[in-house]
Amino acid sequence: MKILIIGSGISGLAAAIASADMGNHVVLVSPYPSERAQSVMAAGGINAAVGTAGEDDSYVHHAMDTIKGGCYLENEDDVRQFCERAPENLRWLEQMGVVFNRKEDGAISLRAFGGQSRKRTAYAGASTGKQIVTALVQKCREYEIDGRIQRRLGLHFYSGLIRDGVCYGALFCQYFTGVLQAIYADAVILATGGQNKLFGKTTGSELCDGYAAGRLFSQGVQLRNLEFIQYHPTTIETDYKRMLITEGARGEGGRLYYLDGEKRVYFMEDKYGPKGNLMSRDIVSRCIYDCPSQVYLDISFLGEKLIHERLEEVYQLCKDYIGLDVTKEPIPVAPSIHFFMGGIRVDRNHRTNILRLYAVGECASKYHGANRLGGNSLMAAVYSGRVAAEAIHREEAVKVRVENFASYIEQEEALLNRIKESRSQFPSVYILRNLAEIMNDNLGITRNRKGLSEGLEAMDLYLNVMKSIKFDHTVSLYENYRIDSMLLLAKAILCSAMAREETRGAHIREDFPETKEAFQKCSVAELVDGQIQINFEAESCEKESAWYENSDKKTG
Amino acid sequence: MKIRIKRQDEPETAPYWQTFDFFGKGRKTVAGILDEINYRDDLIDENGVPSRRIRWECSCMQKMCGGCAMVINGIPALACGTFVDTTEEELLVLEPLTKFPVVSDLVTDRSCILEHQKAALMYLGEKSAENEKEFANRYSAAKCIKCGLCLEVCPNYVGGEGRFYGAVLANEAYLLYTSSENRKKAIAKEYRRHFAAGCSKSLACRDICPMKLPTLSSIGYLNRTRL
Ligand code: SF4
Ligand code: FES
């Protein structure tokens, strides 16, 4: 069976390795090598209830924390399965040589992370994502050598080859020639990451622009829970981007405070007790947002030894970019966009609503509900990649009639050529800058109807303008053709945020401050006859279900 | 300040120089400057000529992905890790790396780094028991961002076709050697052939590495191993 995987961060690599393990042929496509993927920026850790911290942890607790952190939106069986397999996935990574921190007895060290009842976050210093990428790349290389995985660099996703609800492969655009190239496969796994670029500068990679999700949305793929956008509570400002201070800093004991005159007010601890600094991210971000003055994160009292041993990257980052010595001074922090709980709608096998099209990693929406727990994204990336690969293998290629896309490809090529021959009045960066401004203004930590309608109006305007905008010769072809789909995705996010008339997790509506039973559902966005439709569908997560009650008892 | 950039439209076309004015405030990274220039509504050079935006590879903007390696004022470095004082009357000269084929402007094709790793069969095989003594160095070696700066400065690295693969390979070999159960021999052999045989210990690679990889200890460790 031939499997096409788009994106080579952790989820794409995991899917590729797992597929090759089972003897399938993989084509792994990405514009850049894995070292450039946003995965390398993941810092703090990866969750698995391996219980090596001397606490009575189990996957049940992990699942409960995940569901609770996500405000009861996710299907409990799916989350349970995700958590149940986390220890095995951690071992899988260990076997591939990931350099995890260990205790003296050799067992994997665990640190405390936000919103979790037990210590269950395994880590590799403060560069866990990078360490995992390194090991996965090496494993992937073994399969590249024996031919099971074929890697293709320098190709940008263009569109899915989709007809009548079935996916046959994808079209890619070559960076230079602008020539479209089709790659056909028995199944396609999308692993293209989040959509930070819609917001301009965030903590993430410049490369995650949401284009693939937006384009596929226009081709009939359903999206889910787009309104849930995670603001990471502790980021620092530099002149051109916000940089993340890992949650590991608070996991190791770091404390948040603001100054009232001379007095330090430890607002999280005052409100939530000694574990207050490690509440889930939605809560901490909201509290920081409500603080009367600049908030600081203090880790200096942890001592130089611990900081250099476990948080060296935090030390270096602050030293290099803001000239601050974290062993001596507190770090000024503020929340910033960090992760998208929403994305492509998938079932427990990571199938989308299009046959033979799968989505994994951050581009898929699964497990995290209204708010993701720190350490769950890396595990979800590994888990989803493996699960999709297994499902494809198990189900074998869904046999379909071979379709001929030649005329579709010709048509798209002609379209691109027409565009290329024209000239635009508006530079593409002008549109991107405005897009980012609209998104930041109206999808902040708190939202309201007025802002969202203004955002929608503006987005409609730009979508309309785009119809007449032609080629901007100062940037690449990809930077031209991606804008339309980015705007469409942005509009779908605004629509989803508008439709959810309640406050839940990371979605805080000033005009609807209550959490409503009626909205204990996932928003599903779909493009029907050119119109964005939002429906709410329950994922059958019963707060009162027997499983939940039982596990509640277990936790005591 | 003036920014002089060596530009090239396509892989096969001839390079040319173009200079831009930049009025900034204070200390900025080269990445920050490039970003600001590219995000202006119009990009015009010092003679008022409208220009194509500057192509350079970047992902993380914070020294984590290796994309932005280029030659800055004659010294190979990461754009996002190099600060310049923009207020001073200064000339900032940016060129693409010289040991890799230019794709466009400051973007180079460094895929040979990955090809070398493949050619030298750099994979783990079965994993050995944890080697705690080497933990710190292994952790550092695993942070190689494959930026290629060590190859750019190495007097022995002659480009993609040669047999010498440079410090980036030595570190990978060390990382794999110290955790492989069944491929130690093969890894050491490849290390000898593709690194030790060509290294003249200029140590330029150690000093240039933006991730401060323990290249010297990696080399020392592997040189002590017996086949
Ligand atoms: S060893 Fe250092 S300089 Fe060489 S590629 Fe790796 S990170 Fe870059
Ligand atoms: S942009 Fe990632 S290292 Fe410079």
Side-chain angles (χ1 to χ4, degrees), chain A residues 32-33 35-36 40-41 94-97 99-102 124-127 130-131 134 138 141-142 144-145 153 175-176 197 201 205-207 239-241 243 313 317 320-321 427 429-430 432-433 473-476, chain B residues 9-10 28-29 32 35 38-41 51-53 55 57-67 80 83 103-104 110 114 117-118 121-124 127 130 132 135 138-139 142-146 172 175-176:
Chain A
Y32 301 97
E35 282 77 12
R36 315 284 185 260
V40 304
M41 304 177 74
E94 263 189 287
Q95 279 315 306
M96 282 188 272
V99 186
F100 287 114
N101 282 63
R102 287 169 190 280
S127 70
K130 172 64 189 171
Q131 299 283 335
T134 298
Q138 289 168 344
R141 186 182 299 141
E142 179 180 346
E144 285 173 61
I145 292 168
L153 293 175
Y175 186 72
F176 259 99
K197 191 76 185 166
K201 304 291 174 194
S205 157
E206 286 283 308
L207 304 175
D239 2 315
Y240 56 90
K241 77 168 285 191
M243 296 184 189
E313 285 78 4
L317 186 78
D320 292 350
Y321 288 98
V429 292
Y430 169 81
L432 284 186
R433 219 172 37 219
H473 285 261
T474 70
V475 296
S476 70
Chain B
D9 294 341
E10 289 183 26
K28 273 194 186 333
T29 62
D35 199 55
N38 272 345
Y39 270 84
R40 289 178 188 165
D41 272 352
S51 310
R52 187 168 54 67
R53 281 164 213 278
R55 292 188 177 139
E57 191 177 324
C58 84
S59 166
C60 71
M61 300 284 268
Q62 53 180 96
K63 296 199 289 187
M64 297 173 107
C65 79
C80 64
F83 284 88
V103 175
S104 182
R110 286 168 277 172
L114 310 180
Q117 305 275 351
K118 266 197 323 197
L121 308 177
M122 285 294 131
Y123 64 90
L124 182 68
K127 182 167 172 302
E130 268 326 299
E132 280 303 302
F135 176 84
R138 286 172 30 74
Y139 178 82
K143 281 175 72 177
C144 171
I145 53 180
K146 308 286 186 285
E172 193 88 354
L175 180 61
L176 290 165

Side-chain angles (χ1 to χ4, degrees), chain A residues 246-361:
Chain A
T246 169
E247 192 161 299
R250 281 172 289 135
E252 297 294 347
R255 300 175 75 187
L256 291 164
Y257 71 89
Y258 67 83
L259 284 175
D260 179 9
E262 295 280 281
K263 194 176 144 250
R264 285 183 175 200
V265 179
Y266 292 98
F267 57 97
M268 289 310 296
E269 294 164 42
D270 292 349
K271 196 162 174 189
Y272 296 99
K275 279 189 164 181
N277 295 300
L278 277 178
M279 294 299 288
S280 60
R281 291 177 179 174
D282 51 343
I283 295 172
V284 183
S285 285
R286 175 69 202 258
C287 291
I288 294 180
Y289 178 77
D290 288 340
C291 281
S293 62
Q294 174 67 53
V295 168
Y296 295 90
L297 169 62
D298 190 8
I299 60 169
S300 60
F301 62 90
L302 296 175
E304 289 192 28
K305 185 168 178 288
L306 185 143
I307 291 174
H308 289 304
E309 254 171 42
R310 297 191 210 159
L311 298 167
E312 177 62 19
E313 285 78 4
V314 174
Y315 171 81
Q316 279 298 342
L317 186 78
C318 290
K319 179 170 151 262
D320 292 350
Y321 288 98
I322 54 174
L324 185 142
D325 180 352
V326 297
T327 63
K328 300 200 169 65
E329 301 160 86
I331 314 164
V333 292
S336 170
I337 287 189
H338 179 61
F339 185 87
F340 296 84
M341 276 73 77
I344 295 169
R345 187 188 196 198
V346 291
D347 68 4
R348 74 176 44 155
N349 290 318
H350 284 263
R351 286 188 292 224
T352 68
N353 62 311
I354 302 290
L355 203 61
R356 315 207 302 177
L357 179 65
Y358 296 70
V360 299

Side-chain angles (χ1 to χ4, degrees), chain B residues 146-215:
Chain B
K146 308 286 186 285
C147 63
L149 288 172
C150 52
L151 303 180
E152 177 74 12
V153 296
C154 176
N156 300 310
Y157 182 73
V158 293
E161 303 310 314
R163 229 172 76 168
F164 175 73
Y165 297 164
V168 53
L169 186 97
N171 284 306
E172 193 88 354
Y174 160 78
L175 180 61
L176 290 165
Y177 184 94
T178 46
S179 52
S180 180
E181 176 71 35
N182 60 339
R183 296 200 67 250
K184 277 191 183 348
K185 248 190 187 159
I187 294 164
K189 208 172 118 208
E190 297 290 340
Y191 161 80
R192 253 150 246 236
R193 176 186 331 187
H194 294 294
F195 183 81
C199 173
S200 61
K201 307 223 166 57
S202 87
L203 300 187
C205 55
R206 175 195 62 182
D207 303 331
I208 201 87
C209 178
M211 305 311 285
K212 304 195 173 71
L213 255 61
T215 304

